[in-house]
Amino acid sequence: MVNIYELLNRSIVNKRYSLSPNLFIEADRIELSEEEKSIFDLLKNIVSLGTKIHDDGIEFHPMFVMADGSRTFSIEDISEDDYLILHSLELDKMPLILRALIADILWTNKKEFSAAKIAADAYWKLFMLWYTDEDNVGTIDMIRRAVCISVQTKQTTLYNEIQEWFNEFIDTKAASAEGFFSLRIMELFFKQKNFDVSIILKVLDDLIDGNSDNIAKVEQAYKLKTECLFKLKRKEDAIKNNNLLADYYLEFAEKIFKKDIQGALRAVNFYQKGIMLYRNNGESDKADAAHKRLVEIQKEIPKIMVPFSVELDIKGVIDNLKANMEGLSFEECVIRLTQMFVFEKQEDIKKRVIEEFKDNPISHLFGKSLINAQGQTVLALHPLDIHDPEKDPKLMELHMYQNALEKQKVAGDIWVKNALIIIRDKFVIDKSMMEFLVKDNPIIPDGRERIFQSGLYMFLNGDYYEALHILAPQV
């Protein structure tokens, strides 16, 4: 028979992403005493937790939450008796990666100072174990927690050790490190009280100069530099830096806008960011010039867009329309036409939106942008919350409007349009034929009959633009 610590060290290695409930297997469990089996079960649940680490804290959450509300193990499921078990554990005998997690839970949820010291030390050791020049994925969270806890608990010796590593990193490796690791580390220390941000300005300049094709990286470097300059009370330099970022936005936009439609839409976004920076940082002339160029770019977007068409065989629809209008008078045909308009209830539209969202979740992950004929984005429709589609009532309403618009477009193009064509083929329409629609009509105010009659006449004759401009104001 083995004890729980021997078993854990046999099963768990201190590698990145190696901690998993799958390591806690029944064949190992049966080797333990009855008392330690309960510890084994508790630890198995705890390692199934998901974590979200920020520069200033950590969140523990269930790894999976289902649409029906069911979930995997949550931090709220740890009872007071469970905490007594965790408190009694000899954390220094545990694998480093598990030690950090358990100690952090005791510190974060129970404010056990002794656990905080263990957690910070374990996270720092994990960082040093995992960090390499070539591969930094997964390491940033370790140093984040080490810094955060050491600052919160005033572990000066540990924090100074971490900062010494950071200073050397800035001097020798930060400018050449791949990905966003350097920026994340600098952002972490920027937030620390009394940290001298001047030591990272040169590195930020090097990142900006050496990554001109990586706009996300350059953008974040410029923004962090602005924050540093303001922190150093160098306001004029900060304003100048913001305008340099605006210049960069416009230069990058010009590079990409004619590549494809995605490039064109991104270019519009970068121009808008640049214009806002110019206006907020005293460059109104540059803002005006950039706005004129933005309008030119937007006009080019419809030319770049690649249209796609869908062919539908609507012969059956037309045959059905003809059959339903066969032998009817003009008045009866118009009445039949009005019966094709369906006024849906809002709840029915909402139900359809939610059903379509649940049936096709992938297509709703990224939202959509609605663009007019001038290439201007009329509406950026963000996706609904996948766990709670009705969480944001205003967003749900926008999705309902868009869904209804799409359905009405299909109904209009397929049914109403062809019904109107059939009526025009069957009858020679003049304005007097509209009188039956406006005479004694309770929704038309006295004296407005003739203008309504003219609008309806235009509509039935296919002059939709003119009809809209007469009927809409009247209604």
Side-chain angles (χ1 to χ4, degrees):
M1 183 176 289
V2 298
N3 67 42
I4 188 69
Y5 303 106
E6 293 171 335
L7 179 58
L8 292 172
N9 283 287
R10 187 178 74 189
S11 305
I12 299 171
V13 294
N14 293 313
K15 292 183 178 179
R16 279 179 274 182
Y17 314 118
S18 61
L19 197 59
S20 164
N22 295 330
L23 298 172
F24 292 73
I25 59 176
E26 185 61 27
D28 289 337
R29 185 179 184 276
I30 61 176
E31 296 185 51
L32 299 170
S33 66
E34 288 302 316
E35 181 182 350
E36 290 191 329
K37 283 178 181 177
S38 62
I39 299 175
F40 181 93
D41 295 338
L42 175 59
L43 294 178
K44 181 177 182 179
N45 279 330
I46 286 175
V47 300
S48 74
L49 288 170
T51 57
K52 189 173 183 180
I53 294 176
H54 314 282
D55 286 345
D56 54 1
I58 185 171
E59 298 174 32
F60 301 99
H61 58 82
M63 186 60 73
F64 298 105
V65 178
M66 312 306 172
D68 61 2
S70 59
R71 57 169 174 75
T72 53
F73 187 81
S74 174
I75 194 73
E76 291 81 15
D77 296 331
I78 302 178
S79 67
E80 289 303 316
D81 289 340
D82 293 333
Y83 278 114
L84 290 176
I85 293 174
L86 296 179
H87 180 74
S88 68
L89 293 174
E90 298 179 65
L91 296 179
D92 60 321
K93 292 184 178 181
M94 287 186 167
L96 200 58
I97 189 170
L98 181 58
R99 186 190 315 168
L101 176 61
I102 300 301
D104 204 351
I105 289 174
L106 289 172
W107 162 242
T108 303
N109 284 21
K110 291 299 180 181
K111 297 305 174 190
E112 291 191 18
F113 184 79
S114 59
K117 296 184 70 175
I118 294 171
D121 180 71
Y123 280 122
W124 176 236
K125 286 178 178 175
L126 284 170
F127 174 76
M128 295 303 291
L129 181 65
W130 294 352
Y131 172 78
T132 66
D133 293 345
E134 298 79 24
D135 180 13
N136 301 316
V137 177
T139 63
I140 187 70
D141 283 343
M142 300 302 101
I143 194 171
R144 275 177 173 153
R145 287 307 287 153
V147 168
C148 179
I149 298 173
S150 63
V151 169
Q152 288 174 338
T153 55
K154 295 181 171 58
Q155 297 181 54
T156 307
T157 302
L158 177 59
Y159 179 75
N160 288 341
E161 181 183 340
I162 299 171
Q163 189 163 338
E164 283 178 15
W165 172 89
F166 174 74
N167 291 339
E168 182 183 353
F169 173 77
I170 287 295
D171 289 340
T172 60
K173 300 175 181 178
S176 59
E178 294 293 325
F180 290 81
F181 180 80
S182 294
L183 280 167
R184 297 294 173 265
I185 290 288
M186 287 187 282
E187 288 168 350
L188 172 64
F189 279 90
F190 168 83
K191 295 176 182 178
Q192 307 312 314
K193 190 176 180 181
N194 299 323
F195 174 71
D196 180 11
V197 298
S198 63
I199 68 172
I200 66 177
L201 291 177
K202 174 64 168 61
V203 176
L204 290 171
D205 286 336
D206 291 341
L207 288 174
I208 290 168
D209 292 339
N211 295 273
S212 59
D213 289 334
N214 187 339
I215 190 165
K217 197 170 185 177
V218 172
E219 178 182 50
Q220 291 179 39
Y222 266 118
K223 288 181 176 179
L224 181 55
K225 184 179 177 182
T226 295
E227 291 182 31
C228 290
L229 291 168
F230 275 120
K231 194 170 186 178
L232 293 167
K233 298 182 179 180
R234 293 167 54 181
K235 183 178 178 181
E236 290 185 6
D237 289 335
I239 291 172
K240 180 180 178 182
N241 188 64
N242 279 338
N243 285 317
L244 287 174
L245 174 55
D247 293 341
Y248 172 73
Y249 278 142
L250 270 56
E251 291 169 8
F252 192 85
E254 290 296 335
K255 287 182 186 177
I256 65 171
F257 108 88
K258 284 205 171 180
K259 284 186 177 180
D260 51 34
I261 184 59
Q262 193 63 37
L265 295 175
R266 291 179 69 209
V268 167
N269 180 50
F270 294 137
Y271 255 92
Q272 290 170 338
K273 286 184 176 182
I275 291 167
M276 187 63 67
L277 280 173
Y278 284 141
R279 285 178 177 161
N280 291 339
N281 291 275
E283 292 284 2
S284 56
D285 290 344
K286 281 190 173 183
D288 292 341
H291 187 266
K292 290 178 182 177
R293 177 61 180 147
L294 172 60
V295 173
E296 293 173 0
I297 289 175
Q298 289 174 322
K299 289 179 179 178
E300 291 293 313
I301 287 177
K303 302 174 186 177
I304 300 172
M305 294 178 72
V306 178
F308 66 92
S309 59
V310 177
E311 293 186 4
L312 297 174
D313 183 359
I314 60 171
K315 182 178 181 301
V317 172
I318 295 174
D319 289 344
N320 182 277
L321 288 170
K322 287 179 178 178
N324 275 275
M325 292 187 176
E326 185 66 32
L328 299 182
S329 67
F330 172 77
E331 290 84 354
E332 290 170 331
C333 284
V334 172
I335 296 300
R336 183 60 54 87
L337 173 67
T338 64
Q339 294 169 345
M340 296 177 189
F341 292 93
V342 178
F343 294 93
E344 294 183 287
K345 295 180 180 177
Q346 287 193 21
E347 282 304 313
D348 291 339
I349 300 174
K350 180 189 290 186
K351 183 179 178 182
R352 184 171 68 237
V353 168
I354 293 173
E355 287 176 352
E356 290 181 2
F357 180 76
K358 289 180 177 178
D359 290 343
N360 303 282
I362 300 299
S363 65
H364 295 278
L365 284 178
F366 308 104
K368 61 178 73 173
S369 295
L370 307 182
I371 300 172
N372 63 17
Q374 288 72 46
Q376 298 167 323
T377 300
V378 178
L379 174 67
L381 193 60
H382 300 293
L384 297 169
D385 188 302
I386 196 163
H387 299 297
D388 184 7
E390 297 186 65
K391 181 178 179 180
D392 185 339
K394 290 185 178 179
L395 182 60
M396 169 57 75
E397 194 171 72
L398 287 174
H399 277 268
M400 289 167 61
Y401 285 140
Q402 180 60 23
N403 186 280
L405 182 65
E406 291 171 359
K407 295 293 184 292
Q408 290 166 7
K409 181 80 168 69
V410 172
D413 286 347
I414 294 177
W415 286 93
V416 178
K417 180 180 177 181
N418 286 287
L420 287 168
I421 290 173
I422 291 171
I423 291 173
R424 290 185 206 117
D425 287 344
K426 287 170 63 74
F427 305 99
V428 177
I429 304 171
D430 62 51
K431 193 181 297 186
S432 65
M433 296 167 70
M434 302 297 109
E435 187 175 349
F436 83 101
L437 286 172
V438 299
K439 186 178 181 181
D440 299 324
N441 191 320
I443 70 169
I444 298 177
D446 290 340
R448 300 285 184 86
E449 291 86 357
R450 290 178 64 83
I451 195 165
F452 269 89
Q453 189 171 345
S454 296
L456 291 169
Y457 169 70
M458 292 175 183
F459 170 75
L460 285 173
N461 268 296
D463 298 323
Y464 304 125
Y465 184 81
E466 293 82 352
L468 181 66
H469 278 72
I470 288 177
L471 293 173
Q474 293 302 315
V475 173

